[in-house]
Amino acid sequence: MKANILVIDSSRMTPTERVERLCNRLMPECYSYLICPGCGFREDNAHGVRFLSHELASPPRLGEVAAIVSFAGPGEIAGLVALYPGRPVFHVRPGAPAPRVSAILAAVRRSTENERPLAA
């Protein structure tokens, strides 16, 4: 079973291209859920990325989440970190490069190795 990864982009009304591109690159190994509070309803993209318009103060409850990648400030995602404790969190500062997909997947593997394997 593939792991769930939450990616947060609270920068504007539509997700930035680099954030969506990161989600697309994660999809072969993980389900990517892109939270963009101002986006409103959007269909999944061609890669299968699911867009969620949840406000960060009331995050979605997805059951199991393997990692969080945030393009928002640490204070903005405090509720998500509390909801999914012990999961790796990648904070990306404005203007900083996105984390490498390999680093995210390695952290996911480490955090879930005793729970369930990632899909091959």
Side-chain angles (χ1 to χ4, degrees), residues 90-104:
F90 294 83
H91 289 284
V92 184
R93 285 181 243 136
R100 292 186 11 224
V101 169
S102 59
I104 296 168

Side-chain angles (χ1 to χ4, degrees), residues 5-60:
I5 294 183
L6 286 176
V7 180
I8 296 89
D9 184 354
S10 66
S11 63
R12 49 185 166 162
M13 299 304 270
T14 59
T16 60
E17 184 179 319
R18 76 181 186 138
V19 174
E20 191 168 345
R21 192 170 45 245
L22 173 67
C23 291
N24 292 342
R25 292 180 60 214
L26 289 166
M27 281 302 295
E29 290 200 50
C30 302
Y31 292 113
S32 296
Y33 294 87
L34 176 51
I35 300 175
C36 184
C39 290
F41 177 79
R42 286 184 62 175
E43 293 288 334
D44 296 356
N45 74 10
H47 296 273
V49 173
R50 173 118 334 143
F51 295 91
L52 305 173
S53 61
H54 288 74
E55 293 299 322
L56 296 178
S58 54

Side-chain angles (χ1 to χ4, degrees), residues 3-6 60 62-68 84 87-88 111-112 116:
N4 295 327
I5 294 183
L6 286 176
L62 297 175
E64 294 183 37
V65 169
I68 299 169
Y84 304 109
R87 296 300 171 204
S111 74
T112 61
R116 58 182 167 71

